[in-house]
Every structure is written in C-alpha cells, then in structure tokens.
Amino acid sequence: MSLLPLEDMVNPGLFSGNKSVNSVKVSFRIPYFTQWGQSLLVCGSVPVLGAWNVKRGVLLSVVHQGSELIWGGSITVPKGFQCQYSYYVVDDKKNVLRWEMGKKRELILPEGVQSGQEIEFRDLWQAASDSLPFRSAFKDVIFRQSWDLSEATVGDNHINFESEREAVLVQFKISCPNVEKDSSIYVIGSNTKLGQWKAEKGLKLSYFGESVWKAECVMQRKSGSNREVSTNSTRSDVKYIFLSDGMLRETPWRGAGVAIPMFSVRSESDLGVGEFLDLKLLVDWAVASGFHLVQLLPINDTSVHGMWWDSYPYSSLSVFALHPLYLRVQALSKNLPEEIKKEIEKAKQQLDQKDVDYEATMATKLSIAKKVFSQEKDLILNSSSFQQFFCENEGWLKPYAAFCFLRDFFETSDRSQWGRFAHYSDDKLEKLVSKDSLHYEIICFHYYVQYHLHLQLSEAAAYARKKGVILKGDLPIGVDKNSVDTWVYPNLFRMNTSTGAPPDYFDKNGQNWGFPTYNWEEMSKDNYGWWRARLTQMAKYFTAYRIDHILGFFRIWELPDHAVTGLVGKFRPSIPLSQEELEREGIWDFNRLSRPYIKRELLEEKFGAAWTFVATTFLNEFDKNFYEFKEDSNTEKKIASKLKTCSESSVLLESEEKLRRNLFDLSQCYIMFYAIGLQNIVLILDPENPRKFYPRFNLEDTSSFQDLDDHSKNVLKRLYNDYYFCRQENLWRQNALKTLPVLLNSSDMLACGEDLGLIPSCVHPVCAPSCHDCSTLRAWWEEDEDRRLRFFKNVMESDELPPDQCVPEVAHFIIRQHFEAPSMWAIFPLQDLLALKEEYTTRPAREETINDPTNPKHYWRYRVHVSLESLIKDIDLQTTIKDLVSWSGRSLPKEEASGEDASPVAAFSVAEAVTVLSVAEAVSEKQKFSSTTEKPVLVK
C-alpha cells in the first residue's frame, strides 16, 4: 500500500488560492495491538524520520480507545516536503521485531497548505497478506486487470473549503486488486456526503492505477462518536485527513496447483526427458483441471560430474544457467537437415524409457545441438536477439561458459586441478572468452545453448501467464562446491564446511548435502547482491518461487567438510555452551565428554568377533580397554578411504558398507587441529574457541552419555534442551530479519517457504500436502499397515478392513481433505492426482517417489508413465479434479469459470456494477483488521 502524489489524489483546484507555507505538522495515526515491551515506530527516507535507520526513527506514543491501541506521533516539515515511510514494531532498544510488508508508503504534502496547519495520515498496518495481490503471481496472472488509468475519472471538486472554518478534507483510499473491469466502488456511511448508508448515493471512488481507488470529500467538523471521521477527537488545526483503508476485506482467495519435476514430464515430442516447451501442454492440462499453478523443481545446470550423479537438481553448477537437459533440439532451427531429423526420431525411440537415462539423454542432446550450432552459429550469434540476450546476461554467462570449457578440458570440475585457472580473476576470464582464443567456438556453443534454453523457457512462461497459470520455480538453498559461483565468488562461501540437516523423520543419521555454507557477513557488504541477482534472474521466467529449506535463513546445520553423515554438526549461528557455564553446573571433565568414548565392550557389541581387527586397524588403546582413533582414521572420510583400501586388498571380514556404518556410529571428526574424536561423544568442541561447546544431537543415544553419573546426565539434558529449543530463538529471528527481507524485496514474485524438519518456534507454522522428499499418496498408504488401519477407521470412519492398495476412492477422500484445507494453496504432486483413476495406478507405488533423502547418491530419474497429450484427452480425470477444486471453494481459472463462480470477484455485486465499501466514516471499525502475527513469507 502506498500514497501517491497529492496531485494524483485530488483535483488541484481544491487548493487554489491558498497562501504559501513555512512549516506544517504531519501526524501519523495507526491502530495496532502490541505485546508488553513492544512499541511502534515510523521510519522513512529522510533524516527527520531516520533515513531508513530504524534506531533513528520516530517512536510513536500510544493511547487506549476502548479495547484498541492507537499509536500516534508527529513531525514538523517545510513546504514541498516528500518522503517514503513505513511502520515497524520494535523492542525497548529499537530492535526490529516486525515490519510492514509491501511497498513503502509515499508522503507528499498538498500544495496550498497554510503555515501551522496539520495533515493527518491515518493508516492501517500493511500485513503480509495485503502485499500478496501485488506480487506478479496475482497482479500479472491471477488478477490480470484490463483497467486503464486513462479511464479514471477524478471528478470536478472545485470546492473552496478554506472558506468553511470547520471544514476538513478527507481522502478515502483503498486497494482492490481483484475487481473486474466496469465495476464500481463506493464509500457509504451515515453522513450525507456518504449517502446515509445508501450505495447509490454514496461517494464513488475513482481508479488511480495499480489497483488503488480514491475519492475526496469536504466534511464539517462536528462533535460525535469516535466512529466518525469528523469527531471532536480530531484537533481543530487538522485540515486534511488521508484515510488509507488498506485492502478491501473479502473472503480469502484460495487456489490449487500441481507439482512435478521438469524431468518427470512425458510428451510425444520430448527426447527421453521433460522439456521446457512441454510446459505449454502441462499448462493446458492444468487449466482444464481447474489449477492456477504449476510447480517445478530447480531447473539450473547441475553438470558437475558428467554422469548420472548430476541428476540431483539441488546441486547447482550455476545458479543462473539453465540445464541443457531441458532443451528441445527440434526447436533449434526451422531448417534442420534431413539427417538430423532422422537422428532425432531415432533418439526419441531409444530414449522413450520408463525412467530418465540421464547420461544418454545429455550426450544425445549435446551431440545434436553441436551439429545444428555448426551450421547456424553465424546466423544466431550475429542476430540482434542474441546480442540483446548476451548483453543482459554476460555477467554470469561468460564465467559459466569459461567454467564449462575448463571442466571439459581438464575432465573435472575440481578447480584445484586446473593449474593457474584454479583461482578466478577477471583478467583470466577475458582471456578464456576472447574471440582470438583457439577455443572460442566452444565458448560460443555454451552461449548458444543458454540462449535457446532462454527462448524456450520464456515462450512457455509467457504462455502460462496468458492462460492465467502461475509458473512456480524452486530456489535451492545451496550450490555445489565445484560450481561457477564458488569459483567466481569464493569469499561468499565457507568452503571448509558443508550444509545438511540434523537427524529427523527422514534419516536418523541426519543429512549431509555437501554444499558449502554461506558467509553471510561477506554477503551483507553489498546488501546480498548475489542473492538479489539470483531472484532477478528467476523472475524472468517465474511468477512464484519456493525457498528451499527456508530454515537456512534462520540457521543452518553446518558440518565439517570431512563429515559424511549429518550427525556431527552444529547450528550456525548459535550461542554455544561456555566452559564457565558448564563448570557452574558441576561439569568439569571436558576431555572425557568431547573425545570419542570407545570402550572394549562397545567394540565387542558392535563388531563381534571382528572387534580385534577393527581395534588393530583403526584404533589405539590409550588406557586399559579404552581406545581412540588413529591419525589416519580420525575422520569419516579417512575411514571411508581406509575401508576402500582394505576392501580392495580383501582384508575386511564383513561387508564394507556394514563395517563403515558401524564405525561411523563411533565417530566424530577432528575439526581443525583440535582432536575431537568421532560420533560417540557428548559435546562438540568449537573449532574456533576451545572454551565453547555444542551438545551433540541426540546425545542421550550415545553410550558416552549413558555411562555418565545422574547429576551430569540431568545437567546435560537440560542444557541440551536449552541449546536446541530456547536460547537461540531471538538470535535466529534477528538473523532471518537481515536476509529474508532482501530476498522478498528483490523481485515481485510470490515467495513460498519449505521448512520440513526441526522447526524453531520463531518460524511460523506452515502446511504442505507433500513434496518430492516424501512418499507419494499411494506409497504412503501401502507402506504401513497399522497406519492404514488407523486412518481407515478413525478418519474415513469405516469399520471394514481397508484395501491394501490406494484405490481411487481412498485417493479421492484424502485429496478432497487437502482441497478443503484453509490454506491459500493446495498443491498436489501429479502422481497423487493420477491415483484418482485406476488405469494410472499400474506402476508400483514405490517407483513414483522422486527422491530418497536417506541416500545422498539417489538417481533422480522418475518419469510419469502417461503422456501429457493423453492426459489432455482424459476429460473424465479433468472433470473429477475440477469438481474437487470447485466444491472446496477454491478459485478456478477464468477460462474454466462461469456465472457467479467465475472468479473471486463474485463476492462483489458485479451484476449491478457496484462494489460497496462500508466505511461509515469509521476509523475504529477498520482497526479490527490490525494484526500481530505478520509472516515474513507466505508459505503454502
């Protein structure tokens, strides 16, 4: 919500003939319920309002009006004053606890205000939900408006209200993003100027662009209740009241969508994998089925290893480059030679398999693309379209092309093997991409592929917007260690660390994703420019995006780079346990608690008769029946390497994998030069401060903890709970306040957060029916008999035995529950929707799961077994899904709508071309919409 210049608000004739001013008083007034110790503050773009330094902003004072809290304050400003401003909730030290969402408010003084007069701005808090309709997902897709500012009629208000001593000019302003063309909006109230509650006699608002409607009227100052604008609570020197009513309140908008990885899509035109141009067919099916949204997994290039490991879509080679896997080679040229056409047809037959053959598909597409490139490179590279693309993207495109060349030349992405090119510099880059270089054609080939990927995805994205479908992308939390980004910007990453997740429902050993963690301090120096560039690039194609692992912006689970599992990490940032704190609690033996606790009994229990081999090969006995790891075995990666050597020489008595897992149960690594041991420990020593410690996750499960005395156990359990669930909350909240607003404000895409796992209380709760890391609906039903029995009896209220398979009737019941949820979005994996029809359930359910999060080398290769063309022809399935959408009260795409159910604007009186906003000259009536639970990001 924002206030535009006054000349856009009212007819300038209202102020003609007024005297010049020296200074005027500007007052702010806003209702807001705060908790004890909280205050409201206004901060703006000028020094008098703090120049966007919140600690220098103007604190507001509060008064009680009935059950409400009204915050107010004022400043004195000169003639011609203008600024932007916003409201903040702060603590007693002016630390930001909450901030308004949406656009900054605009404050411009009206011309003709006389010296000593007062202008009062009566605002409502801009909640997160108020800003959503102005995100591109709604503004440019769902609520596509045909309103034209030239059609706005301000009206003829030549009123000499200055001659009326008790007159006050009141401007009404409201945002109505979901109003159809040719509708009207009125303010009605008890005053004669507001129609005395009759809509046809009310004050008609005019459209001023960007979904904003306004109107002004001159009202007499008189005594009355606090519900009237012209009341005795308004000071006599107030001559102008700007009443911003926020968003038109109506039934919350709710929509539905479908989620499927790009690689999983199947069409009659693709070469073994879903392609960007297939999205047009997917959009058609989505519209026909009543969906407003199509959600994808990340689509950036992941070609780090040159093998099927690169199928992992969250390990980006570049956060800017698109993946060549999704290129449609047929669309590279309108004049493909016959031999290439035949090669493409042959490849289509060979690659049309149950699952994606990543390596064969990549090799085929790049081979064909090179042949087309050799014929058309001059035509394309010299075209104005390519030149524009190159000019707009060369900042990331040149490093990407150079990296790909070096990767292929040295046959590795490990830049430590690149000699003098191991360390990036602008001079080295310019030499690598120079037109005079012998390999310049190879560089240009990578330009060429990215250019066509851009064209094809842009075509699909434009088609989706035209059809009223949001295309939702995915923003991965990490990048590969051997990526373009870590090569060009190594200072932005903590390269000696790894990102993961602590043990949870998915994996008792936690997860190690292998990405370096971020150097947030360094990123903040340019206001997170790398992140802003990522979002700007995404916004070229998407109107919404999923923030992968949004918890990472509050805190990240950081592991040493030589860890393999996710057990031996710590949260960053976090407040550790100090040695002084532990000593006060009677904990003294830090060496015992932070070293590997390996007893002979434990070795015998874990390895049976093989324990002597394990002890001799990997351990030293430093005390009777107590052991520690040898120097060549003191990290998980060293153990893995030594096991491999033993395996190759046939030394192992058990399988390598079983022995490796057993050893990891004992292990936690040496970090830096401090010997810590392996996983059977209680406290992890801080690698940067030997007097700081972190409680090992699930420390109660270790034999090291179980052998402690009761006092030590009780103390450590209490400190463990404090570390993981209490003491970090404010730190993590403040950390997110530094980063998330930058992300959210760097584009106008709709942001959605994914936060599965261990959720701190400072993160707002969310709802999601499923994701790529979960079992599909059919697999969930079939994999647990006891759960199936409970659900069938308690939720579906049936006393019969449930079917072993997730039959369509069961799928329909569960999916309907999700459609009926109050969440803004209900987004379903395509596999779950196919379970509504029996003929699509012939494939084993376990094969439909996208990812196994317990396997770091999972092959991401699932393909839908039915083509999009076939689904488009399946009217029965479309009707079933569309009925579920409609019955749940969720919005249908406009092309599919009719009558009163046409769109959310059915709540308005469209047939009469009248939309009524009942203000009743009321301030307090509007205050009930203030909120104290703002969300930094909307989640599905």
Side-chain angles (χ1 to χ4, degrees), residues 13 520 742 769:
W520 290 112
V742 177

Side-chain angles (χ1 to χ4, degrees), residues 117 204 238 245 291 503 548 653 821 921:
Q117 289 185 336
K204 184 176 181 180
V238 174
D245 204 52
F291 290 127
D548 173 44
L653 302 179
E921 305 172 62

Side-chain angles (χ1 to χ4, degrees), residues 734-765:
Q734 292 299 322
N735 195 54
L737 286 174
K738 296 176 184 176
T739 55
L740 281 177
V742 177
L743 262 70
L744 299 180
N745 295 327
S746 61
S747 79
D748 65 352
M749 292 185 290
L750 176 67
C752 306
E754 174 269 312
D755 59 359
L756 300 176
L758 185 68
I759 314 297
S761 61
C762 60
V763 178
H764 289 279

